[in-house]
């Protein structure tokens, strides 16, 4: 899609982001979040829109450590799936990650084929050194817990694949 626009999310996009991911929350593909969480993290989000301003997709980049970030809440409107929207968003998030100095990206996903097609591989234990693990385990962030595969992660994330990409 040549006329797709990927840009930084604005606070005015939050209701549209919520509406877009709600069906995925209902299907237990994405975790639901309170609106305040979206506003608090709006600077992490990028959105894809049509030239007419229709919100087509969203995704977020969350920094976890000096070299490690997480792709979060990557979603595309139903009618726009398999049309390059997710690819454009992930490409932008990867560019943002490189600009921040990150060298690895993590995601927790059911969409393993999409992420594999974009260079991610499934991971197991020992992705970070023991000293970094000791620091990360202190984080109250659920995404960090999912990355570390901690027992306290929410039950509806079980079954997702933990994937990593070297940038």
């Amino acid at each position: 899609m040549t006329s797709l626009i990927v840009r930084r999310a604005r606070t005015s996009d939050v209701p549209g982001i919520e509406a877009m991911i709600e069906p995925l929350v209902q299907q237990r593909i994405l975790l639901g979040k309170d609106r305040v969480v979206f506003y608090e993290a709006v600077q992490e989000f990028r959105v894809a829109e049509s030239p007419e301003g229709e919100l087509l997709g969203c995704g977020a980049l969350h920094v976890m450590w000096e070299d490690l970030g997480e792709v979060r809440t990557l979603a595309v409107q139903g009618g726009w799936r398999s049309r390059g929207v997710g690819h454009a968003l992930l490409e932008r998030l990867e560019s943002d990650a490189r600009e921040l100095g990150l060298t690895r990206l993590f995601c927790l996903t059911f969409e393993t084929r999409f992420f594999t097609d974009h260079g991610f591989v499934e991971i197991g234990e020992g992705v970070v050194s023991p000293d970094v693990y000791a620091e990360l385990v202190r984080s109250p962030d659920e995404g960090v817990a999912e990355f570390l595969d901690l027992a306290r992660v929410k039950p509806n994330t079980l079954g997702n694949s933990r994937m990593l990409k070297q940038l």
Side-chain angles (χ1 to χ4, degrees), residues 38-117:
F38 286 109
Y39 283 118
E40 289 172 344
V42 73
Q43 71 279 0
E44 297 181 353
F45 275 84
R46 300 297 177 260
V47 294
E49 66 180 10
S50 70
E52 299 77 35
E54 178 188 0
L55 201 60
L56 307 177
C58 66
L61 174 66
H62 180 77
V63 175
M64 297 172 72
W65 197 250
E66 67 180 321
D67 65 332
L68 180 65
E70 180 184 5
V71 174
R72 291 184 172 179
T73 320
L74 186 62
V76 175
Q77 288 282 17
W80 288 93
R81 293 193 182 118
S82 300
R83 294 177 64 184
V85 177
H87 172 78
L89 282 162
L90 185 56
E91 197 171 72
R92 173 65 184 269
L93 295 173
E94 287 181 9
S95 175
D96 291 347
R98 285 183 186 94
E99 188 176 310
L100 287 168
L102 303 178
T103 57
R104 300 182 299 164
L105 282 181
F106 165 76
C107 70
L108 186 71
T109 184
F110 287 107
E111 300 293 335
T112 55
R113 179 162 184 175
F114 173 83
F115 283 98
T116 298
D117 288 349

